Amino acid sequence: MMDSSWTNQSPSLSLNLSVGPPRSPDQVPRIALLKRSLACGTQVGAIEAKLNQISEENKRLAEMVSDMHMNYSVLRGRLFDLASIAPQEKGSVSPKRKRVDGASCKYQTKHGEVPMPKTSKMYVRIDPTDSSLVVKDGYQWRKYGQKVTRDNPFPRAYFRCSFAPSCPVKKKVQKSAEDGSLLLATYEGEHNHERSSRDKVHSVSDHSAAAVLPCPSIDAEHTSQPYDLDEAELPKLQRLLVEQMATALTNDRSFTAAIATAIYERMLRSPPA
DNA sequence: CGAGTTTGACCCGCGC
DNA sequence: GCGCGGGTCAAACTCG
């Protein structure tokens, strides 16, 4: 259902930072020609100095990207370390649904032993001032309870799927204790119906400032499987990484200038058909 | 008026 | 046995 590829793939960091398009053999004479034509003037030296400066910057940027890639690898390693040392159930299972046998993935109710419902988690970025605890996921939900839990100052809301009366799916929604702009939605069970067409259209995109962040290894996996990370850790790691890269790149004016120059030159040399 | 939300009470398992 | 805490119930309330 969710894409778990985020952590499985290294983002491509092989950014081509050369100014202008890659030089093909037939472009070298063009550069020579350009130089010759400019030789009439007194700007050749200045242009060469500028080119040297740009290559220096390119070199620096390449090192920066390499550093970031290394940091990414370190963080990624730490992520998987956390995944491997915290495989046991951390979240409390409802007492009424206490597991009888962890291996058999069953829990006991007053009606007997039934299969453990699949649980998945999803993180949603929201406006920190938004206390509605609404996650637009394409299904219709009816709230049936709200509680303040011990380990989190934010209330936890309980929802049941109201689209189909027989649908067994439940959802718990709570703001992250560390980050009030992050909602954690925990789904229990599987829908036995399609999404409502109305919500299909408005799913995710119409929520004010909300962005669903399918939690990579947690979300695709189920909590009964090995990747049961501390829910606070994973989004923090992801966010840290993305913010680090974005900050480093956007704060470096020479990088943005080089990108702009490269794009400009590329567009000049290969105009859209 | 019906559907959905709020909220205090209640249930039940766990740990001490 | 008792208190704690998470989950659920259901009456009261709100809103369209």
Side-chain angles (χ1 to χ4, degrees):
Chain A
M1 146 175 151
M2 317 280 176
D3 184 10
S4 64
S5 62
W6 198 92
T7 50
N8 296 334
Q9 293 173 353
S10 296
S12 173
L13 294 174
S14 56
L15 196 57
N16 181 4
L17 295 173
S18 63
V19 178
R23 287 179 189 180
S24 56
D26 65 328
Q27 283 179 307
V28 177
R30 273 164 69 184
I31 291 171
L33 193 67
L34 182 67
K35 274 189 180 176
R36 223 175 314 149
S37 65
L38 289 171
C40 308
T42 57
Q43 298 177 340
V44 175
I47 289 173
E48 274 181 349
K50 186 81 182 165
L51 281 172
N52 285 339
Q53 190 192 334
I54 289 171
S55 346
E56 290 273 312
E57 281 175 3
N58 281 349
K59 215 164 126 186
R60 262 192 318 114
L61 290 167
E63 280 170 8
M64 224 169 82
V65 170
S66 168
D67 280 352
M68 276 191 287
H69 194 189
M70 212 164 71
N71 287 341
Y72 170 77
S73 302
V74 170
L75 286 169
R76 192 158 174 264
R78 171 144 168 68
L79 178 68
F80 285 105
D81 282 350
L82 285 168
S84 59
I85 61 173
Q88 57 272 64
E89 289 281 326
K90 294 185 88 167
S92 62
V93 176
S94 166
K96 288 175 187 174
R97 300 170 178 206
K98 181 167 177 57
R99 269 191 187 184
V100 174
D101 176 1
S104 64
C105 290
K106 291 180 177 178
Y107 68 94
Q108 195 160 29
T109 68
K110 56 177 135 181
H111 307 298
E113 208 173 272
V114 296
M116 189 74 177
K118 287 185 176 179
T119 64
S120 59
K121 297 174 183 180
M122 184 181 286
Y123 291 90
V124 181
R125 176 72 60 196
I126 57 154
D127 186 334
T129 58
D130 181 3
S131 57
S132 62
L133 294 177
V134 171
V135 176
K136 302 266 184 159
D137 51 17
Y139 292 98
Q140 285 180 273
W141 300 94
R142 182 194 172 97
K143 189 175 180 180
Y144 67 89
Q146 180 166 315
K147 266 282 218 215
V148 175
T149 56
R150 201 168 59 95
D151 54 348
N152 194 325
F154 299 110
R156 175 185 295 169
Y158 300 89
F159 297 88
R160 256 192 278 265
C161 182
S162 64
F163 184 70
S166 62
C167 182
V169 179
K170 289 177 189 170
K171 172 172 87 166
K172 289 180 277 189
V173 180
Q174 190 171 30
K175 281 187 179 182
S176 164
E178 286 85 9
D179 185 351
S181 65
L182 208 56
L183 271 187
L184 168 61
T186 307
Y187 295 84
E188 282 181 19
E190 286 178 293
H191 295 276
N192 55 12
H193 57 88
E194 293 297 315
R195 291 172 192 230
S196 67
S197 56
R198 180 173 58 100
D199 284 345
K200 265 183 188 170
V201 175
H202 298 288
S203 170
V204 178
S205 58
D206 67 344
H207 193 272
S208 58
V212 173
L213 306 172
C215 178
S217 45
I218 292 177
D219 190 41
E221 309 296 334
H222 298 294
T223 48
S224 55
Q225 292 174 355
Y227 288 115
D228 186 16
L229 292 178
D230 183 343
E231 47 261 42
E233 285 285 336
L234 189 62
K236 268 161 56 183
L237 281 171
Q238 285 180 9
R239 213 149 46 85
L240 182 71
L241 181 63
V242 172
E243 281 173 1
Q244 191 182 24
M245 293 176 81
T247 307
L249 293 177
T250 53
N251 284 353
D252 193 313
R253 293 174 64 183
S254 61
F255 176 83
T256 47
I259 291 288
T261 309
I263 292 169
Y264 179 66
E265 293 225 357
R266 172 76 73 176
M267 287 174 75
L268 275 185
R269 298 200 184 218
S270 46

